[in-house]
Amino acid sequence: MSEPIVYGFPRSTFVNIIRLILTHKGVAYRFHDLEPVMGKPEHLALHPFDRVPILKHGDFTVYETSAIAAYVDEAFDGPRLTPQDIRVRARMNQWIGAVNSYYYPYMIYHVTHERLVFPELGIASDEKVVAHALPKVETALGVVERELAHGKNYLLGDQLSIADFYLLPSTFAFSLTAEGQAMYPKFPAFCRWRERMDNLPATQKVRAAVPRIPIEHAREWASSHRPKY
């Protein structure tokens, strides 16, 4: 079967979850940049809810990051990232849900958009959006810190899993903001986890491949789905 194709725009948090997993497993893939057609029929034919990523593998197409991650881990050789133990696997899925609900929305959708994405496009930050998010981010980081109290290398213990790759891109983008740089030193176990993850060959390879250029289609976000407080 042909190599898989990852569709999305380069700086997407969720696209890079999938790129990290594929790269760590040693799976050759192609990246198809949808930036020029985001929200247009070509994109919506792949993802009817106007999001990314999408994975195409032969005649099979799937969207939603958690579904893609599970498929990739089962469909391809390489290090297994899904625990066999049912309870540990439940913890992994708990982390996936937490990133979707509590980490990404406040680290990225609120703070990183206001501090990085919008200013890069000449759009002023909304300080109310940032202020609303920061206590929630601090709560989320406190949860990671407590979960890492086991003293092991990864979120689930000794085994690197999808959970680690799921959390990493949100925490990386937030680290580029002044708020992230001020907040992170309060959480030493989390910082040690980040350092281990940052040093993985897959992390370094994917980050080197992602250009730090403005996200042009994000101009629409300022009016279409920017939080309002």
Side-chain angles (χ1 to χ4, degrees):
M1 189 178 288
S2 60
E3 64 185 16
I5 305 171
V6 177
Y7 294 84
F9 60 93
R11 284 173 58 184
S12 163
T13 302
F14 289 104
V15 166
N16 285 308
I17 291 170
I18 300 307
R19 296 179 78 172
L20 284 164
I21 292 170
L22 285 163
T23 303
H24 180 75
K25 289 178 70 72
V27 180
Y29 69 93
R30 288 189 287 139
F31 176 68
H32 186 103
D33 189 354
L34 290 175
E35 175 63 39
V37 297
M38 285 293 295
K40 297 179 180 178
E42 180 181 333
H43 171 212
L44 297 176
L46 295 166
H47 197 313
F49 297 101
D50 194 13
R51 294 289 185 267
V52 292
I54 306 102
L55 182 85
K56 187 172 184 179
H57 186 210
D59 61 358
F60 178 67
T61 302
V62 59
Y63 59 81
E64 290 305 295
T65 308
S66 59
I68 297 171
Y71 175 79
V72 166
D73 201 31
E74 292 188 36
F76 299 100
D77 294 333
R80 181 75 172 170
L81 293 169
T82 302
Q84 294 300 306
D85 183 274
I86 188 171
R87 293 185 176 183
V88 181
R89 190 162 66 249
R91 292 293 185 198
M92 182 192 78
N93 289 321
Q94 177 177 277
W95 273 113
I96 290 171
V99 171
N100 290 338
S101 298
Y102 314 120
Y103 292 83
Y104 172 83
Y106 297 109
M107 287 182 164
I108 306 302
Y109 188 67
H110 283 65
V111 180
T112 303
H113 284 184
E114 297 299 332
R115 290 292 184 247
L116 301 177
V117 175
F118 290 145
E120 290 168 355
L121 298 169
I123 301 169
S125 301
D126 186 331
E127 296 301 326
K128 290 182 179 179
V129 173
V130 176
H132 178 85
L134 291 180
K136 298 179 185 298
V137 172
E138 192 146 13
T139 295
L141 289 171
V143 171
V144 184
E145 189 74 8
R146 290 193 299 274
E147 291 291 326
L148 288 169
H150 52 48
K152 306 290 180 62
N153 286 338
Y154 303 110
L155 294 175
L156 302 181
D158 290 321
Q159 181 182 357
L160 181 65
S161 74
I162 289 173
D164 297 286
F165 285 121
Y166 224 88
L167 181 61
L168 183 62
S170 289
T171 59
F172 169 67
F174 188 69
S175 78
L176 302 177
T177 69
E179 288 80 5
Q181 291 159 18
M183 199 178 290
Y184 279 1
K186 302 175 186 178
F187 303 98
F190 164 72
C191 288
R192 290 191 293 272
W193 171 84
R194 280 197 68 232
E195 184 176 6
R196 282 189 289 273
M197 294 300 296
D198 286 350
N199 287 330
L200 291 175
T203 304
Q204 296 179 3
K205 185 174 181 178
V206 170
R207 286 186 186 163
V210 177
R212 297 296 304 178
I213 57 176
I215 305 171
E216 287 296 332
H217 79 273
R219 294 182 187 278
E220 301 175 5
W221 298 350
S223 56
S224 64
H225 58 276
R226 191 183 207 177
K228 292 180 173 60
Y229 298 104

